[in-house]
Amino acid sequence: MALALPGVGVFGTCPAVYTLVPVLRDKGFLVQAIWSGRKQDAEAAASKLCIPFFTTQIDDVVLRKDVDLIIIFTPPSLHSQISVKALRIGKHVVCDRPGGLNQTESLRMVRAAAYYPTLLAMMAFSLRFLPNMSLMKKLIKENYVGQITLCDIRIVCESMLERKYSWLCDSAMGGGALSLLGSNVIDLLHYLGFGKAVRVHANLRTLIPTTDNIGGIRQVSSDDLAVLQLQLAGGTLVTVFINSDMAGFSQDIVVCGTDGYLVAQGGDLKGRKTRELRDEVLYLDVEDFNSSESFSSALPRIHMKGLMRMVSFLRDRFSGVEPQTDSIYEPALFDQGLYIQSVIEAMRKSSETRQWVKVVTSQEEGSDSGETSWSSYA
């Protein structure tokens, strides 16, 4: 017998929320409340998304008896505060990337999740739910490319800034290409089975410090260009290029090995064995959106589809559906968010010092071992 789905409380009114709420409703969830730091934003979102309750007070959502699942898409400065409060009173939590502003905040989230291990404490790294990423992981495990030697990732997109000055303009507040897009890349590397980053090198630049609406005393300090290198524990070299000053959105992931290569372009996947004469199409993303699922067109296609499949995971998890062994549904838990924060911090230090920097992940105060315990989903 299928279990009843929990009521949902949503924090934030960013474009992802306008995609997420209709999908949640389509999958059977009841969205009971929405929060924003600004009353007019909360009221507008509640009206447009047909949510019965809106507020500017965090406790008004967290303490509601008809809300058991908290979904957080706020500025990163609020991730830890809301997550820890929700988990401590027994609520499930799904939190947007990157999971706080630093390792200290991420560590608080990890510890709060460990206190109630039966609760879901999950990061919303939705790209790992895409079918082409799941297939790429499977083929890598089956030695389609042989021993992996290089992974090259390139992302070009339009500016992530809003029309007026906000936290997105400040890297210290979680804005920038590294934090918002690079965090997804770091997560995918772990999801695909490449291993953890040992050392990193980064060049972070703000190419456009002012816009037509942002200038004067308050200028943009977040990076719109990120050129990254990661040396992984298994010996694989990863190169990443992110440019958020272009039009549209494209993401290419190339995995090279001793026996061939795999190329993920957007939601598609192709590959070639060393002895083959041409590429073979392994997965073609031809799925269309339903009208209700295309409520927001502000997100790139692959991010929208990732969110849709993440919601399918949530529905199955709370319905008591047993995942199949080859299921694409493999969530990123809070300790993954802590690891990603450690990589981001190392990259920021590398960009400042212009040197390779060792990645150190702290699980306990005073720990410098760089070891992270990876929890399995229960």
Side-chain angles (χ1 to χ4, degrees):
M1 177 183 295
L3 303 176
L5 297 178
V8 178
V10 177
F11 284 85
T13 56
C14 65
V17 169
Y18 283 84
T19 295
L20 191 61
V21 169
V23 180
L24 285 164
R25 194 169 285 125
D26 283 349
K27 301 298 183 183
F29 288 92
L30 293 178
V31 182
Q32 305 285 11
I34 189 166
W35 173 97
S36 175
R38 297 174 40 151
K39 182 180 178 180
Q40 56 266 42
D41 292 343
E43 185 175 9
S47 175
K48 203 165 190 177
L49 296 170
C50 300
I51 299 173
F53 178 80
F54 67 89
T55 183
T56 60
Q57 302 298 315
I58 292 175
D59 285 354
D60 287 349
V61 177
V62 173
L63 296 177
R64 285 181 67 95
K65 293 183 179 180
D66 58 357
V67 168
D68 289 303
L69 170 61
I70 300 295
I71 297 181
I72 305 168
F73 277 81
T74 66
S77 59
L78 294 172
H79 288 180
S80 179
Q81 176 187 347
I82 299 172
S83 295
V84 170
K85 178 171 288 190
L87 287 166
R88 283 179 175 173
I89 62 174
K91 310 282 185 173
H92 304 281
V93 175
V94 177
C95 184
D96 193 22
R97 71 211 189 286
L101 293 175
N102 48 53
Q103 283 198 70
T104 300
E105 293 189 355
S106 293
L107 185 56
R108 292 195 190 106
M109 295 168 64
V110 171
R111 288 174 172 169
Y115 194 75
Y116 290 107
T118 58
L119 294 175
L120 177 66
M122 167 183 161
M123 299 298 304
F125 288 112
S126 56
L127 294 187
R128 58 166 52 211
F129 291 92
L130 293 173
N132 66 330
M133 290 294 100
S134 176
L135 180 56
M136 176 180 275
K137 177 177 181 176
K138 180 175 181 291
L139 292 172
I140 290 172
K141 190 174 181 179
E142 294 174 352
N143 291 317
Y144 182 96
V145 299
Q147 183 178 352
I148 298 172
T149 55
L150 173 69
C151 179
D152 180 67
I153 301 176
R154 295 180 178 269
I155 301 173
V156 295
C157 65
E158 59 190 21
S159 174
M160 294 176 285
L161 302 179
E162 297 174 339
R163 290 185 58 84
K164 60 183 179 179
Y165 189 91
S166 70
W167 66 272
L168 292 165
C169 301
D170 188 346
S171 59
M173 295 300 294
L178 172 60
S179 179
L180 299 178
L181 297 174
S183 57
N184 264 315
V185 168
I186 300 165
D187 177 67
L188 281 177
L189 293 173
H190 179 256
Y191 169 73
L192 293 172
F194 292 160
K196 296 189 294 183
V198 177
R199 295 185 306 135
V200 297
H201 188 275
N203 190 348
L204 307 175
R205 298 289 181 91
T206 304
L207 300 182
I208 302 181
T210 62
T211 69
D212 292 341
N213 301 300
I214 303 171
I217 297 176
R218 308 184 80 177
Q219 296 191 357
V220 178
S221 65
S222 57
D223 48 286
D224 49 19
L225 176 70
V227 183
L228 316 172
Q229 292 177 291
L230 300 88
Q231 186 68 53
L232 304 186
T236 300
L237 176 65
V238 179
T239 58
V240 182
F241 176 85
I242 305 174
N243 183 351
S244 62
D245 291 324
M246 306 291 287
F249 182 94
S250 67
Q251 176 178 288
D252 297 339
I253 301 176
V254 179
V255 178
C256 299
T258 54
D259 297 335
Y261 61 78
L262 291 165
V263 180
Q265 295 178 309
D268 302 333
L269 182 65
K270 64 182 180 180
R272 184 190 294 191
K273 291 280 194 178
T274 302
R275 297 179 182 179
E276 300 296 328
L277 298 177
R278 60 178 61 89
D279 293 349
E280 60 176 328
V281 177
L282 300 168
Y283 182 84
L284 196 60
D285 181 15
V286 296
E287 181 183 10
D288 291 327
F289 295 114
N290 295 329
S291 58
S292 61
E293 293 172 339
S294 57
F295 192 92
S296 168
S297 60
L299 295 180
R301 179 184 177 89
I302 59 173
H303 285 269
M304 291 180 71
K305 290 202 167 187
L307 283 175
M308 290 160 53
R309 286 182 168 80
M310 185 186 76
V311 173
S312 294
F313 160 77
L314 293 173
R315 177 200 59 197
D316 292 348
R317 193 275 185 192
F318 290 112
S319 297
V321 176
E322 290 293 333
Q324 299 177 359
T325 56
D326 58 348
S327 172
I328 67 171
Y329 299 151
E330 184 179 326
L333 304 184
F334 275 8
D335 52 359
Q336 173 73 346
L338 175 60
Y339 161 68
I340 290 171
Q341 284 286 4
S342 71
V343 178
I344 289 175
E345 289 182 6
M347 286 179 171
R348 295 200 189 284
K349 184 177 180 180
S350 172
S351 185
E352 293 173 359
T353 61
R354 299 183 182 182
Q355 297 177 342
W356 283 86
V357 173
K358 181 181 178 182
V359 176
V360 178
T361 302
S362 300
Q363 279 287 70
E364 298 180 357
E365 293 181 2
S367 171
D368 61 356
S369 64
E371 295 297 325
T372 301
S373 61
W374 298 101
S375 301
S376 58
Y377 176 67

